[in-house]
Amino acid sequence: MKRLSVLIAFLMTIFCLTGCKTAPDSETKNNKNTEISNEDSEKKKNDEKNDEKAEKNNDTNGEAKVGDFIKVDNLKISVMKGPTAISVSPIIYTLGTNLAVHNTIEEQIASLKKRESDVYFIPSNLYAKLVNSGMDLKPIYSNVGNAVSLLGKSKLRDISELKGKTIALTGRGAVPEMIITKLLESANIKDDEVNLVFLNDPSEAASIIEKNENALLLLPEPFASSLTQKIDSLDYALDINNEWKKAELPQIITSVIVTYSDTYEERKQDMIKFTSLYNKAVDSLKSEPKNYSKNVEMLNIAPAEAAEQAIPNIEFLSLTGKPLNDALNDFFRVLMETNPELIGGKLPNED
């Protein structure tokens, strides 16, 4: 009996010791689980914040990258479909309802004469014509340089290989004809050594290449890019910009950004803000064309895929002040040699 009491006491001591040891282990384990759970919760929150941040940074409309730089206070901007509208594609959400996109040059001229906007993107030769007709306009920034591309079904080494070719182009008597004329002159190719076929519309180009696979097409962007995606083997035959520079010809300035002189004086600081914003937009557009190609498609200018290909082939310029005025005058002198009527018969502000 005495032995049994000793055994029971021994077992109870073991049980008590074991129980006392287990409780703290369990509590420690629970504390560790709570800490891990809290860490997981914090990590999840941080991951969600990072995802939101990444999503904003990857915003394809470009607003997060460009539109946050500067607020443009109620400055109304008027552009035309084509390269001029493409140049503002990174900031269309920033400009919002202050941006007007016109389908034709006629609509843009009408808007300009009615002074419906504060800033206008117009062809440089139109600017010269309007100034020569008495309109008091001020160029505040360059817009587009060369915007035409030479397409063909075979690559060319240089301009000399245009000899004997058929070249279809739009713009009889306008800038595209001046460009090809000056390039042919630089290679000493005479008028009768090439066959220039003038099109009423770029859409006529497809039938030319179907009939003559050796023909070349000088077409505006982004139409040129769109056509290469529709016709097998059609590609960029020669880099017009490189050939123009090799010939040491004056900078092509297809379009400029202008305002009325009195509007500029009234809203000078807003104009400076806008040109700064625009400059950043163009830098972003040139470095990341894919990011803004969907914006171009949304403006009904070209499909996103064609826009992405076209943007690097459009020469966007960054000139202002005296460098812009000097470059315009040099370019206008070239136009005077080929077709004075393009700029109204004389250099603007010549008197």
Side-chain angles (χ1 to χ4, degrees):
M1 191 71 178
K2 188 176 180 179
R3 288 181 182 175
L4 181 61
S5 298
V6 172
L7 180 60
I8 291 171
F10 175 76
L11 290 173
M12 287 180 68
T13 302
I14 295 295
F15 176 78
C16 187
L17 289 172
T18 306
C20 290
K21 189 175 181 181
T22 302
D25 283 351
S26 176
E27 188 177 346
T28 303
K29 188 175 181 182
N30 287 337
N31 288 340
K32 285 184 178 177
N33 287 339
T34 302
E35 288 172 8
I36 292 169
S37 177
N38 289 337
E39 287 176 6
D40 288 345
S41 178
E42 284 299 316
K43 186 176 184 297
K44 187 177 181 182
K45 284 179 183 177
N46 290 333
D47 287 345
E48 286 174 356
K49 285 180 182 178
N50 289 334
D51 287 344
E52 286 176 12
K53 189 176 180 182
E55 190 175 343
K56 285 180 181 177
N57 288 338
N58 289 329
D59 187 356
T60 54
N61 65 33
E63 190 174 7
K65 291 188 176 181
V66 178
D68 291 341
F69 289 150
I70 299 169
K71 182 183 177 185
V72 181
D73 298 319
N74 285 326
L75 205 61
K76 293 181 180 178
I77 314 298
S78 183
V79 301
M80 295 181 297
K81 275 191 176 178
T84 68
I86 290 174
S87 71
V88 298
S89 60
I91 51 173
I92 58 174
Y93 293 95
T94 303
L95 298 175
T97 56
N98 285 336
L99 175 66
V101 182
H102 292 127
N103 292 318
T104 65
I105 184 67
E106 289 77 19
E107 289 178 9
Q108 185 75 327
I109 292 172
S111 175
L112 179 62
K113 289 182 175 179
K114 292 176 185 175
R115 301 185 72 149
E116 292 176 338
S117 295
D118 302 298
V119 174
Y120 303 85
F121 289 52
I122 62 173
S124 60
N125 69 296
L126 174 62
Y127 155 73
K129 262 187 173 181
L130 293 174
V131 169
N132 281 333
S133 70
M135 198 172 284
D136 191 11
L137 297 176
K138 178 180 178 64
I140 59 173
Y141 211 81
S142 56
N143 179 219
V144 176
N146 174 50
V148 295
S149 294
L150 189 67
L151 309 180
K153 290 202 169 185
S154 58
K155 295 282 186 182
L156 302 178
R157 287 173 303 185
D158 53 42
I159 288 296
S160 66
E161 293 193 317
L162 293 179
K163 191 172 183 178
K165 296 285 188 181
T166 292
I167 306 170
L169 67 156
T170 56
R172 179 190 286 272
V175 172
E177 183 181 6
M178 179 278 294
I179 289 173
I180 196 64
T181 298
K182 285 296 178 183
L183 287 175
L184 292 172
E185 285 178 5
S186 73
N188 296 314
I189 300 174
K190 298 176 183 177
D191 292 346
D192 59 0
E193 293 178 317
V194 292
N195 177 28
L196 297 183
V197 178
F198 289 95
L199 309 173
N200 294 316
D201 189 86
S203 60
E204 298 173 2
S207 62
I208 298 291
I209 205 77
E210 285 171 5
K211 294 173 185 175
N212 180 1
E213 288 203 343
N214 294 317
L216 296 164
L217 309 173
L218 187 68
L219 299 172
E221 293 288 359
F223 187 88
S225 178
S226 297
L227 199 61
T228 62
Q229 296 177 0
K230 294 175 183 176
I231 299 177
D232 288 342
S233 302
L234 188 65
D235 203 350
Y236 292 87
L238 191 64
D239 189 324
I240 292 294
N241 287 335
N242 282 346
E243 296 302 316
W244 189 266
K245 286 170 184 173
K246 278 163 57 177
E248 298 182 347
L249 293 162
Q251 172 65 57
I252 297 169
I253 304 179
T254 304
S255 55
V256 288
I257 304 173
V258 305
T259 184
Y260 280 91
S261 295
D262 58 352
T263 304
Y264 182 80
E265 292 305 321
E266 291 167 9
R267 308 199 59 182
K268 189 172 183 178
Q269 291 306 312
D270 288 334
M271 297 289 174
I272 292 170
K273 283 182 182 180
F274 171 71
T275 53
S276 179
L277 170 67
Y278 173 77
N279 184 49
K280 289 180 173 69
V282 168
D283 285 346
S284 292
L285 181 65
K286 290 193 287 190
S287 63
E288 300 172 292
K290 186 175 183 178
N291 280 1
Y292 307 106
S293 59
K294 289 183 180 178
N295 287 5
V296 175
E297 182 174 40
M298 192 178 68
L299 291 169
N300 293 318
I301 298 172
E305 188 179 349
E308 183 183 348
Q309 182 175 320
I311 289 168
N313 294 302
I314 300 171
E315 187 182 22
F316 296 106
L317 303 175
S318 298
L319 297 170
T320 190
K322 188 176 185 301
L324 171 59
N325 290 324
D326 290 346
L328 279 171
N329 285 332
D330 290 342
F331 181 59
F332 291 153
R333 288 187 184 94
V334 175
L335 295 181
M336 280 286 290
E337 293 172 7
T338 53
N339 185 358
E341 287 308 307
L342 273 177
I343 59 171
K346 65 176 184 176
L347 294 176
N349 304 313
E350 190 177 29
D351 299 333

